[in-house]
Structures are given as C-alpha cells and as structure tokens.
Amino acid sequence: MDNERVILAIGRLERALSRIESAKSQMQSDADAALEARHEALKAEMKQAIRTIDGLIERQEH
C-alpha cells in the first residue's frame, strides 16, 4: 500500500512538471527573465523531489 501512495505521488509530480513544461512552451518569446529563472528553479526542485522519492522507494525495496 505504501508503494501505491508513493507511485501516485510520483504521478502527480510528473503531471505537474508536464503542465509546467506545457505552459512554458506556450509563453511568448519575450517572457520576463525573472519568470524564466523561477521556472528553472521550480523545475530543479521538482527533479530533486523525484530523486528523493526514488531513493525512498529504493530503500523500501531493499
């Protein structure tokens, strides 16, 4: 059951990241530089969260 909750959480994170990427692609080319920097920071945080979850899953499996 715990694995199922983790898998669902990963799915939500991946969908959120996908929405962020989609929104980015729709942004106009003259987008605010500060907004772009915040986007990159959020993207990095999401990737770190996914790595953390992967580590938790790996520890639970071993």
Side-chain angles (χ1 to χ4, degrees), residues 14-39:
E14 289 175 339
R15 287 189 299 277
L17 188 56
S18 178
R19 287 191 304 271
I20 290 167
E21 290 293 333
S22 178
K24 180 185 176 196
S25 68
Q26 295 174 3
M27 292 171 56
Q28 295 178 355
S29 62
D30 61 339
D32 180 31
L35 181 60
E36 181 70 22
R38 289 193 308 263
H39 168 77

Side-chain angles (χ1 to χ4, degrees), residues 3-58:
N3 282 343
E4 184 177 332
R5 290 176 62 199
V6 171
I7 290 168
L8 290 173
I10 290 171
R12 287 192 304 270
L13 288 169
E14 289 175 339
R15 287 189 299 277
L17 188 56
S18 178
R19 287 191 304 271
I20 290 167
E21 290 293 333
S22 178
K24 180 185 176 196
S25 68
Q26 295 174 3
M27 292 171 56
Q28 295 178 355
S29 62
D30 61 339
D32 180 31
L35 181 60
E36 181 70 22
R38 289 193 308 263
H39 168 77
E40 290 302 321
L42 180 58
K43 188 172 156 182
E45 287 181 41
M46 292 297 294
K47 286 180 180 181
Q48 180 58 43
I50 291 170
R51 282 192 291 268
T52 299
I53 292 170
D54 284 343
L56 292 171
I57 292 170
E58 186 173 331

